[in-house]
């Protein structure tokens, strides 16, 4: 299996622009997670889905952030409009009942 | 509420020396416990996990961890560190198909 796939790996954008991060989970995994990692706050869970349904989005920082999972093999995290404080590494993970597997992350820089 | 504390932000060891990284957790039931490793610019890779049974768990790359319920700890150990072990290590608690709570991480530096 190719593992969790994320794209793009790096994104540089200007403040106010829309950013879309993409994730393809491991086939057969029923849960998908979006995390954000920063030096100051560490690894934070933003939202997670179970069977394509959002279960808990309490970690989404504000309305500028939204996430969708239209089918079992694809999810997006969108930031609109983006701000410099959104600069971070965003990880997607998918899980079996026993283990979460992480993607390589998207490094986002908002200028 | 579940939480994880990794008291050491940064540890430096000499190559060949033994290693122990500390992890303390708070969890309302029998915990699911994990150790992940993150190399620079990479995602998190699972080293080992504990669900139940034998309290000494073996993982990949020669790592092991011991679950101690009385101390609410799940410390990671390796008898002889290699330069390639330099990375950041994260302890986590929670059911993996729901919400994992991660510690802040311990950065390991290895001196040749």
């Amino acid at each position: 299996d190719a593992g969790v796939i994320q794209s793009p790996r790096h994104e540089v954008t200007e403040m106010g622009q829309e950013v879309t991060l993409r994730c393809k989970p491991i086939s057969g995994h029923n849960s998908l997670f979006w995390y954000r990692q920063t030096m100051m706050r560490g690894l934070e869970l933003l939202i997670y889905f179970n069977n394509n349904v959002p279960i808990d989005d309490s970690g989404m920082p504000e309305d500028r952030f939204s996430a969708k999972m239209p089918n079992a093999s694809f999810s997006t995290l969108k930031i609109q409009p983006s701000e410099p404080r959104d600069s971070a590494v965003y990880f997607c993970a998918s899980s079996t009942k026993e283990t979460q597997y992480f993607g390589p992350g998207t490094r986002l820089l908002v200028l | 509420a579940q939480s994880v504390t990794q008291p050491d932000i940064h540890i430096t060891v000499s190559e060949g020396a033994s290693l122990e990284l500390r992890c303390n957790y708070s969890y309302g039931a029998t915990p699911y416990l994990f150790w992940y490793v993150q190399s620079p610019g990479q995602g998190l890779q699972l080293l080992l996990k504990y669900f139940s049974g034998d309290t000494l768990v073996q993982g990949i790359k020669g790592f092991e961890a011991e679950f101690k319920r009385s101390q609410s700890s799940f410390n990671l150990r390796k008898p002889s560190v290699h330069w390639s072990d330099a990375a950041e290590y994260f302890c986590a608690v929670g059911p993996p198909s729901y919400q994992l709570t991660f510690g802040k991480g311990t950065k390991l530096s290895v001196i040749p």
Side-chain angles (χ1 to χ4, degrees), chain B residues 65-109:
Chain B
E66 186 171 13
F67 169 60
K68 293 185 177 180
R69 184 185 298 275
S70 61
Q71 299 177 18
S72 297
S73 69
F74 189 56
N75 293 349
L76 182 70
R77 301 194 294 249
K78 187 170 185 177
S80 177
V81 170
H82 188 263
W83 63 266
S84 60
D85 294 325
E88 191 157 16
Y89 292 79
F90 294 90
C91 181
V93 66
S97 59
Y98 291 91
Q99 183 170 354
L100 286 185
T101 298
F102 285 83
K104 296 293 187 185
T106 298
K107 185 176 181 180
L108 174 66
S109 297

Side-chain angles (χ1 to χ4, degrees), chain A residues 31 33 37 97-100, chain B residues 36 38 49 51 96-98:
Chain A
S31 298
F33 307 81
Q37 186 179 40
K97 289 184 179 180
E98 294 192 352
T99 305
Q100 280 190 26
Chain B
Y36 284 85
Q38 184 180 28
K49 59 188 176 187
F51 286 178
S97 59
Y98 291 91

Side-chain angles (χ1 to χ4, degrees), chain A residues 35-60:
Chain A
Y35 291 90
R36 179 173 66 177
Q37 186 179 40
T38 61
M39 290 289 291
M40 291 297 295
R41 301 175 67 90
L43 198 61
E44 304 172 279
L45 178 65
L46 300 178
I47 184 171
Y48 74 93
F49 297 82
N50 195 35
N51 292 324
N52 311 339
V53 176
I55 303 299
D56 185 351
D57 65 354
S58 60
M60 297 286 261

Side-chain angles (χ1 to χ4, degrees), chain B residues 22-60:
Chain B
R22 296 183 290 164
C23 172
N24 293 97
Y25 68 89
S26 174
Y27 193 73
T30 300
Y32 299 82
L33 293 159
F34 305 83
W35 275 99
Y36 284 85
V37 60
Q38 184 180 28
S39 298
Q42 303 297 315
L44 278 72
Q45 180 184 19
L46 180 70
L47 282 177
L48 47 79
K49 59 188 176 187
Y50 171 80
F51 286 178
S52 64
D54 192 347
T55 57
L56 186 62
V57 180
Q58 302 297 319
I60 62 172

